[in-house]
Amino acid sequence: MMNHPHSSHIGTTNVKEKIGKLDRIRISGIGLIAYAFMAVLLIIAISTKTLPNTMIGAIFALVLMGHVFYYLGAHLPIFRSYLGGGSVFTILLTAILVATNVMPKYVVTTASGFINGMDFLGLYIVSLIASSLFKMDRKMLLKAAVRFLPVAFISMALTAVVIGIVGVIIGVGFNYAILYIAMPIMAGGVGAGIVPLSGIYAHAMGVGSAGILSKLFPTVILGNLLAIISAGLISRIFKDSKGNGHGEILRGEREEAAAEEIKPDYVQLGVGLIIAVMFFMIGTMLNKVFPGINAYAFIILSIALTKAFGLLPKYYEDSVIMFGQVIVKNMTHALLAGVGLSLLDMHVLLAALSWQFVVLCLVSIVAISLISATLGKLFGLYPVEAAITAGLANNSMGGTGNVAVLAASERMNLIAFAQMGNRIGGALILVVAGILVTFMK
């Protein structure tokens, strides 16, 4: 019996249609078929130890893992609605892969070398800060900064007092709650936060800093994780609230300039890169002259003053905005994967879990959210944005934590404010901790 002459043609057409349907499923712009091919390639490279221990190897691994894990987390019902969506899922899953030894240590080393050693994190954050500040209207920038900083600093101070009081109630003591929960959770992360904080404690107590650091690190990890989850929850629960500025921080003032979409230009992208790096260098150099002030504080100040006084022509401002958008749209998920691989130690976190520890970390999150939202409203800010940037960002793991908090709440444009409160507030925490530890040790 002979086959119909069109049967093979129909079969081929059906296969093409199925492939076409699969390829229409996009993971951060990449069709599913192409993504599957690259994912298989990554698995083979990791299992055969042929993944290069270079920037290329790190980008290939982090981008592929970050995009697909974020996609899954953004579509899983419980994570999407209650646990911070793709941001938390990406960080948690990569951390679990490391903790269970599914992810080889050399991959973790490669990822950490790119994120921290080569300081891709620094490039990402400065690009995002410059992009978000140059995109703002200069008058609104000054108004917002003047109102935002008091909200952030007062919220941190009041939250520390609340943590201390709850510490007394649950039996761990006021001093312990302040020194080992409030101070580290609001110190601004690891490198610029608990590392110098452990040195301050060690000097005052006459002990080694390594032991103190091991006590402070779990607080930062859990506080960061809870802050990310809470940011996602707040943005969803209050989605239709009048207190939600949907990414704008000043109440009653809409930014018309934000509606303008800048068309990408290949040359301007390069211009934007070098200008962003220029501001990073300015901050780094000033930090060498005034080492007591965090480099990011100088970076934010130099960009804000440049914008406020209109020192940079619009061509260059547009270039920075353009480059910042390229970075955030393509590398945010990769950065989240890097955080999970290199910074979130599940073993350390689980070992430190006691009910008192968890309660105090939860109290910190709830208190700083409520206080910053209330103060934000009084100071003319949207409560939701105030809770996320002046509150939860100050309970996060520094720069990487800020990115994750804002990614979970879909407010990446507010990175400058998150960094402002986190870096300047973190520096103030170190000063205050240095005074308090002499009386509370």
Side-chain angles (χ1 to χ4, degrees):
M1 185 176 178
M2 294 181 64
N3 288 329
H4 193 281
H6 296 292
S7 62
S8 60
H9 174 70
I10 292 169
T12 305
T13 303
N14 287 337
V15 170
K16 285 182 177 179
E17 285 178 359
K18 288 178 181 177
I19 291 173
K21 283 181 180 178
L22 285 174
D23 212 44
R24 280 195 288 275
I25 299 171
R26 301 268 162 170
I27 300 175
S28 296
I30 304 172
L32 189 59
I33 302 295
Y35 211 101
F37 175 78
M38 287 188 280
V40 169
L41 192 63
L42 176 62
I43 292 167
I44 293 171
I46 290 174
S47 59
T48 58
K49 296 185 178 180
T50 52
L51 184 75
N53 184 23
T54 61
M55 181 176 70
I56 292 173
I59 289 174
F60 189 64
L62 293 178
V63 168
L64 286 177
M65 283 191 283
H67 283 340
V68 75
F69 294 163
Y70 191 93
Y71 180 87
L72 291 171
H75 288 81
L76 287 172
I78 295 174
F79 267 91
R80 182 183 62 197
S81 304
Y82 306 108
L83 296 175
S87 300
V88 174
F89 188 81
T90 303
I91 293 171
L92 272 181
L93 186 54
T94 47
I96 290 168
L97 290 175
V98 175
T100 54
N101 295 318
V102 172
M103 189 64 64
K105 288 184 179 179
Y106 89 92
V107 179
V108 177
T109 302
T110 298
S112 181
F114 175 63
I115 297 291
N116 303 307
M118 298 179 197
D119 201 22
F120 171 73
L121 176 62
L123 175 64
Y124 181 96
I125 291 175
V126 74
S127 303
L128 203 50
I129 291 171
S131 175
S132 62
L133 286 180
F134 283 128
K135 205 172 184 180
M136 287 185 74
D137 176 78
R138 68 180 68 177
K139 289 180 181 177
M140 284 189 69
L141 171 61
L142 292 172
K143 277 185 185 178
V146 167
R147 298 180 193 187
F148 171 83
L149 288 173
V151 173
F153 300 156
I154 297 170
S155 297
M156 293 170 78
L158 292 178
T159 299
V161 173
V162 172
I163 293 170
I165 293 169
V166 174
V168 173
I169 294 169
I170 65 175
V172 300
F174 187 86
N175 292 3
Y176 177 88
I178 292 291
L179 293 179
Y180 292 99
I181 302 296
M183 294 293 111
I185 210 168
M186 294 187 288
V190 179
I194 61 169
V195 170
L197 187 63
S198 65
I200 291 169
Y201 286 4
H203 180 73
M205 297 176 183
V207 296
S209 60
I212 292 174
L213 188 62
S214 66
K215 288 183 181 179
L216 303 180
F217 195 56
T219 307
V220 176
I221 294 174
L222 185 58
N224 186 59
L225 200 55
L226 292 173
I228 299 165
I229 294 169
S230 301
L233 272 175
I234 288 172
S235 66
R236 284 161 180 77
I237 292 170
F238 298 100
K239 186 177 180 181
D240 299 319
S241 166
K242 289 181 181 178
N244 190 337
H246 301 284
E248 293 186 24
I249 200 164
L250 269 181
R251 285 171 67 203
E253 297 193 43
R254 292 281 165 186
E255 211 176 335
E256 294 180 20
E260 286 182 30
E261 196 65 39
I262 300 168
K263 292 182 180 179
D265 178 278
Y266 299 126
V267 173
Q268 273 189 278
L269 285 171
V271 173
L273 163 63
I274 200 64
I275 290 175
V277 171
M278 177 192 74
F279 282 111
F280 186 90
M281 291 304 302
I282 290 171
T284 303
M285 291 163 73
L286 286 172
N287 172 250
K288 295 294 181 185
V289 180
F290 305 100
I293 301 174
N294 191 281
Y296 281 102
F298 285 122
I299 291 169
I300 293 165
L301 184 62
S302 62
I303 296 171
L305 290 174
T306 301
K307 176 65 181 181
F309 289 105
L311 301 178
L312 207 61
K314 189 175 184 302
Y315 169 81
Y316 296 111
E317 287 191 0
D318 288 349
S319 300
V320 175
I321 293 168
M322 206 180 289
F323 178 70
Q325 290 302 301
V326 169
I327 289 286
V328 73
K329 288 182 184 296
N330 291 285
M331 294 303 292
T332 298
H333 304 161
L335 187 61
L336 295 173
V339 171
L341 287 177
S342 61
L343 288 175
L344 183 57
D345 192 324
M346 296 297 288
H347 293 304
V348 171
L349 178 59
L350 293 173
L353 290 182
S354 65
W355 73 267
Q356 295 99 328
F357 172 74
V358 173
V359 166
L360 288 173
C361 288
L362 282 169
V363 165
S364 179
I365 292 291
V366 173
I368 204 163
S369 298
L370 292 174
I371 293 168
S372 57
T374 305
L375 288 174
K377 188 174 182 180
L378 291 174
F379 277 78
L381 307 178
Y382 280 104
V384 170
E385 276 65 23
I388 291 168
T389 55
L392 294 171
N394 287 322
N395 268 27
S396 74
M397 195 184 281
T400 51
N402 287 342
V403 171
V405 164
L406 296 179
S409 58
E410 298 178 350
R411 281 163 172 77
M412 294 299 288
N413 62 302
L414 298 178
I415 186 70
F417 292 100
Q419 283 287 95
M420 210 182 289
N422 197 284
R423 296 304 179 181
I424 300 172
L428 289 175
I429 287 291
L430 293 178
V431 172
V432 172
I435 298 168
L436 292 180
V437 71
T438 57
F439 302 104
M440 294 181 168
K441 60 182 179 179

